[in-house]
Coordinates of all heavy atoms in Angstrom, one line a residue:
A288 N 74.0 165.9 -70.3 CA 75.4 166.3 -69.9 C 76.4 165.3 -70.5 O 77.4 164.9 -70.0 CB 75.5 166.3 -68.4
N289 N 76.1 164.9 -71.8 CA 77.0 164.0 -72.5 C 77.2 162.6 -71.9 O 78.2 161.9 -72.1 CB 78.4 164.6 -72.7 CG 79.0 164.1 -74.0 OD1 78.4 163.8 -75.0 ND2 80.4 163.9 -73.9
R290 N 76.2 162.2 -71.0 CA 76.3 160.9 -70.3 C 75.7 159.8 -71.2 O 75.9 158.6 -70.9 CB 75.7 160.9 -68.9 CG 76.4 161.8 -67.9 CD 75.7 161.6 -66.5 NE 74.4 162.0 -66.5 CZ 73.9 163.2 -66.2 NH1 74.7 164.2 -65.9 NH2 72.6 163.5 -66.2
D291 N 74.8 160.1 -72.0 CA 74.1 159.1 -72.8 C 75.0 158.6 -74.0 O 75.9 159.3 -74.4 CB 72.8 159.7 -73.4 CG 73.0 160.8 -74.3 OD1 73.6 161.8 -73.9 OD2 72.6 160.7 -75.5
G292 N 74.7 157.5 -74.6 CA 75.4 157.0 -75.7 C 76.6 156.3 -75.3 O 77.2 156.5 -74.2
T293 N 77.1 155.4 -76.1 CA 78.2 154.5 -75.8 C 79.5 155.3 -75.8 O 79.7 156.3 -76.5 CB 78.3 153.4 -76.7 OG1 79.3 152.4 -76.3 CG2 78.6 153.8 -78.1
D294 N 80.5 154.8 -74.9 CA 81.8 155.3 -74.9 C 82.7 154.4 -75.7 O 83.9 154.7 -76.0 CB 82.3 155.5 -73.5 CG 81.6 156.6 -72.8 OD1 81.5 157.7 -73.3 OD2 81.2 156.4 -71.6
D295 N 82.2 153.3 -76.1 CA 83.0 152.3 -76.8 C 82.8 152.5 -78.4 O 82.2 151.6 -79.0 CB 82.7 150.9 -76.4 CG 83.5 149.8 -77.1 OD1 84.6 150.2 -77.6 OD2 83.1 148.6 -77.2
N296 N 83.4 153.6 -78.9 CA 83.1 153.9 -80.3 C 84.1 153.3 -81.2 O 83.8 153.2 -82.5 CB 83.1 155.4 -80.5 CG 82.0 156.1 -79.7 OD1 80.8 155.9 -80.1 ND2 82.4 156.9 -78.7
R297 N 85.3 152.9 -80.7 CA 86.3 152.4 -81.6 C 86.6 153.3 -82.8 O 86.8 152.8 -83.9 CB 86.0 150.9 -82.1 CG 85.8 150.0 -80.8 CD 85.5 148.6 -81.3 NE 85.1 147.9 -80.1 CZ 85.5 146.7 -79.7 NH1 86.4 146.1 -80.4 NH2 85.1 146.1 -78.7
S298 N 86.5 154.5 -82.6 CA 86.7 155.6 -83.6 C 88.1 156.2 -83.5 O 88.8 156.0 -82.5 CB 85.6 156.6 -83.4 OG 85.7 157.3 -82.1
W299 N 88.5 157.0 -84.4 CA 89.7 157.7 -84.5 C 89.6 159.0 -85.3 O 89.1 159.0 -86.4 CB 90.8 156.8 -85.1 CG 92.2 157.5 -85.1 CD1 92.8 158.3 -84.2 CD2 93.1 157.5 -86.2 NE1 94.0 158.7 -84.6 CE2 94.2 158.2 -85.8 CE3 93.1 156.8 -87.5 CZ2 95.3 158.4 -86.8 CZ3 94.1 157.0 -88.3 CH2 95.3 157.8 -87.9
N300 N 90.0 160.1 -84.7 CA 89.8 161.4 -85.3 C 90.8 161.8 -86.3 O 90.8 162.8 -86.9 CB 89.6 162.5 -84.3 CG 90.8 162.7 -83.5 OD1 91.9 162.3 -83.8 ND2 90.7 163.4 -82.3
C301 N 91.8 160.9 -86.5 CA 92.9 161.1 -87.5 C 93.8 162.2 -87.1 O 94.5 162.7 -88.0 CB 92.3 161.2 -88.9 SG 91.5 159.8 -89.5
G302 N 93.8 162.7 -85.9 CA 94.7 163.7 -85.5 C 94.2 165.0 -84.9 O 94.9 165.8 -84.3
E303 N 92.9 165.3 -85.1 CA 92.2 166.4 -84.6 C 90.8 166.2 -84.4 O 90.1 165.7 -85.3 CB 92.5 167.6 -85.5 CG 91.9 169.0 -85.0 CD 92.3 170.1 -85.9 OE1 93.3 170.1 -86.7 OE2 91.6 171.2 -85.8
E304 N 90.2 166.6 -83.2 CA 88.8 166.4 -82.9 C 87.9 167.3 -83.7 O 88.0 168.5 -83.6 CB 88.7 166.5 -81.4 CG 87.3 166.0 -80.9 CD 87.1 164.5 -80.8 OE1 88.1 163.9 -81.3 OE2 86.1 164.0 -80.3
G305 N 87.0 166.7 -84.4 CA 86.0 167.5 -85.2 C 86.5 168.1 -86.4 O 87.5 167.7 -87.0
P306 N 85.8 169.1 -86.9 CA 86.2 169.8 -88.2 C 87.6 170.3 -88.1 O 88.1 170.8 -87.1 CB 85.1 170.9 -88.3 CG 84.0 170.5 -87.4 CD 84.6 169.7 -86.3
T307 N 88.2 170.3 -89.3 CA 89.6 170.8 -89.4 C 89.8 171.3 -90.8 O 89.1 170.9 -91.8 CB 90.6 169.7 -89.1 OG1 92.0 170.2 -89.2 CG2 90.4 168.5 -90.1
D308 N 90.9 172.1 -91.0 CA 91.2 172.6 -92.3 C 92.6 172.0 -92.7 O 93.1 172.3 -93.8 CB 91.4 174.2 -92.3 CG 90.1 174.9 -92.1 OD1 89.1 174.4 -92.6 OD2 90.1 175.9 -91.4
D309 N 93.1 171.1 -91.9 CA 94.4 170.5 -92.1 C 94.3 169.6 -93.3 O 93.6 168.5 -93.2 CB 94.9 169.8 -90.9 CG 96.3 169.2 -91.0 OD1 96.6 168.8 -92.1 OD2 97.1 169.4 -90.0
P310 N 94.9 169.8 -94.4 CA 94.8 169.0 -95.6 C 95.2 167.5 -95.4 O 94.7 166.6 -95.9 CB 95.6 169.7 -96.6 CG 96.5 170.5 -96.0 CD 95.9 171.0 -94.7
A311 N 96.3 167.3 -94.6 CA 96.8 165.9 -94.3 C 95.7 165.1 -93.5 O 95.5 164.0 -93.9 CB 98.1 166.0 -93.6
I312 N 95.1 165.8 -92.5 CA 94.1 165.1 -91.8 C 92.9 164.8 -92.6 O 92.2 163.7 -92.6 CB 93.7 165.9 -90.5 CG1 94.9 166.0 -89.6 CG2 92.4 165.3 -89.9 CD1 94.7 166.8 -88.3
L313 N 92.4 165.8 -93.5 CA 91.3 165.6 -94.4 C 91.5 164.5 -95.4 O 90.7 163.7 -95.6 CB 91.0 166.9 -95.1 CG 90.5 168.1 -94.2 CD1 90.3 169.4 -95.1 CD2 89.1 167.7 -93.6
G314 N 92.8 164.4 -95.9 CA 93.1 163.3 -96.8 C 93.1 162.0 -96.2 O 92.5 161.0 -96.7
L315 N 93.6 161.9 -94.9 CA 93.6 160.6 -94.2 C 92.1 160.2 -93.9 O 91.7 159.0 -94.1 CB 94.3 160.8 -92.9 CG 94.3 159.6 -91.9 CD1 94.8 158.3 -92.6 CD2 95.2 159.8 -90.7
R316 N 91.2 161.2 -93.5 CA 89.9 160.9 -93.2 C 89.2 160.4 -94.5 O 88.4 159.4 -94.4 CB 89.2 162.1 -92.6 CG 89.5 162.5 -91.2 CD 88.8 163.7 -90.8 NE 89.2 164.1 -89.4 CZ 88.8 165.1 -88.7 NH1 88.0 166.0 -89.4 NH2 89.2 165.4 -87.5
T317 N 89.5 161.0 -95.6 CA 88.9 160.5 -96.9 C 89.2 159.0 -97.1 O 88.4 158.2 -97.5 CB 89.3 161.4 -98.0 OG1 88.8 162.7 -97.8 CG2 88.7 160.9 -99.4
R318 N 90.5 158.7 -97.0 CA 91.1 157.3 -97.2 C 90.4 156.4 -96.2 O 89.9 155.3 -96.6 CB 92.6 157.3 -97.0 CG 93.3 157.9 -98.1 CD 94.7 157.2 -98.3 NE 95.5 157.3 -97.1 CZ 96.1 158.3 -96.5 NH1 96.1 159.5 -97.2 NH2 96.8 158.2 -95.4
Q319 N 90.2 156.8 -94.9 CA 89.6 155.9 -93.9 C 88.1 155.6 -94.3 O 87.7 154.5 -94.2 CB 89.7 156.5 -92.5 CG 91.2 156.5 -92.0 CD 91.6 155.1 -91.6 OE1 91.9 154.2 -92.4 NE2 91.5 154.8 -90.3
R320 N 87.4 156.7 -94.7 CA 86.0 156.4 -95.1 C 86.0 155.5 -96.3 O 85.1 154.5 -96.3 CB 85.3 157.7 -95.5 CG 85.0 158.7 -94.4 CD 84.1 159.8 -94.9 NE 84.5 160.5 -96.0 CZ 85.2 161.6 -96.1 NH1 85.7 162.0 -94.9 NH2 85.6 162.2 -97.2
R321 N 86.9 155.6 -97.2 CA 86.8 154.7 -98.4 C 87.3 153.3 -98.0 O 86.8 152.3 -98.5 CB 87.8 155.2 -99.5 CG 87.2 156.5 -100.1 CD 88.2 157.0 -101.1 NE 87.8 158.3 -101.7 CZ 88.5 159.2 -102.3 NH1 89.8 159.0 -102.3 NH2 88.0 160.3 -102.8
N322 N 88.2 153.2 -97.0 CA 88.6 151.9 -96.5 C 87.4 151.1 -95.9 O 87.3 149.9 -96.1 CB 89.8 152.0 -95.5 CG 91.1 152.5 -96.1 OD1 91.3 152.3 -97.3 ND2 91.9 153.1 -95.3
F323 N 86.7 151.8 -95.1 CA 85.5 151.2 -94.5 C 84.5 150.8 -95.5 O 84.0 149.7 -95.5 CB 84.9 152.1 -93.4 CG 85.7 152.3 -92.2 CD1 86.0 153.6 -91.7 CD2 86.0 151.2 -91.4 CE1 86.7 153.7 -90.5 CE2 86.7 151.3 -90.2 CZ 87.1 152.5 -89.8
L324 N 84.3 151.7 -96.4 CA 83.3 151.3 -97.5 C 83.7 150.2 -98.3 O 82.9 149.3 -98.7 CB 83.0 152.6 -98.4 CG 82.3 153.7 -97.7 CD1 82.4 155.0 -98.4 CD2 80.8 153.3 -97.4
A325 N 85.0 150.2 -98.8 CA 85.5 149.1 -99.6 C 85.5 147.8 -98.9 O 85.1 146.7 -99.4 CB 86.9 149.4 -100.0
T326 N 85.9 147.8 -97.6 CA 85.8 146.6 -96.8 C 84.4 146.1 -96.7 O 84.1 144.9 -96.7 CB 86.4 146.8 -95.4 OG1 87.7 147.4 -95.5 CG2 86.5 145.5 -94.6
L327 N 83.4 147.0 -96.6 CA 82.0 146.6 -96.4 C 81.5 146.0 -97.7 O 80.9 144.9 -97.7 CB 81.2 147.8 -96.1 CG 79.7 147.7 -96.0 CD1 79.3 146.8 -94.8 CD2 79.0 149.0 -95.9
F328 N 81.8 146.5 -98.9 CA 81.3 146.0 -100.1 C 82.0 144.8 -100.7 O 81.5 144.0 -101.4 CB 81.2 147.1 -101.2 CG 80.0 148.0 -101.1 CD1 79.9 149.1 -100.2 CD2 78.9 147.7 -101.9 CE1 78.8 149.9 -100.1 CE2 77.8 148.6 -101.8 CZ 77.8 149.6 -100.9
L329 N 83.3 144.6 -100.2 CA 84.1 143.5 -100.8 C 84.1 142.3 -99.9 O 84.7 141.3 -100.2 CB 85.5 144.0 -101.1 CG 85.6 145.2 -102.1 CD1 87.0 145.5 -102.4 CD2 84.9 144.9 -103.4
A330 N 83.6 142.5 -98.7 CA 83.5 141.4 -97.7 C 82.4 140.4 -98.1 O 81.4 140.8 -98.7 CB 83.4 141.8 -96.3

């Protein structure tokens, strides 16, 4: 019943929960993925 797993995800859906067709949200999500990856490899 969705009770398992942490609630402290420190996540952000960028404006809409789950899949979306909104190009602005999709673009922001792409940048955020790259931000995380760049921070990971350059740290």
Side-chain angles (χ1 to χ4, degrees):
N289 207 37
R290 292 188 299 268
D291 65 301
T293 184
D294 292 310
D295 183 23
N296 296 293
R297 303 179 189 229
S298 60
W299 179 42
N300 65 18
C301 297
E303 185 174 335
E304 190 76 353
T307 181
D308 294 325
D309 188 317
I312 294 176
L313 291 174
L315 177 55
R316 288 177 178 177
T317 297
R318 288 204 307 281
Q319 287 288 75
R320 289 196 305 274
R321 291 173 180 162
N322 290 336
F323 285 127
L324 290 166
T326 306
L327 178 65
F328 276 85
L329 302 183

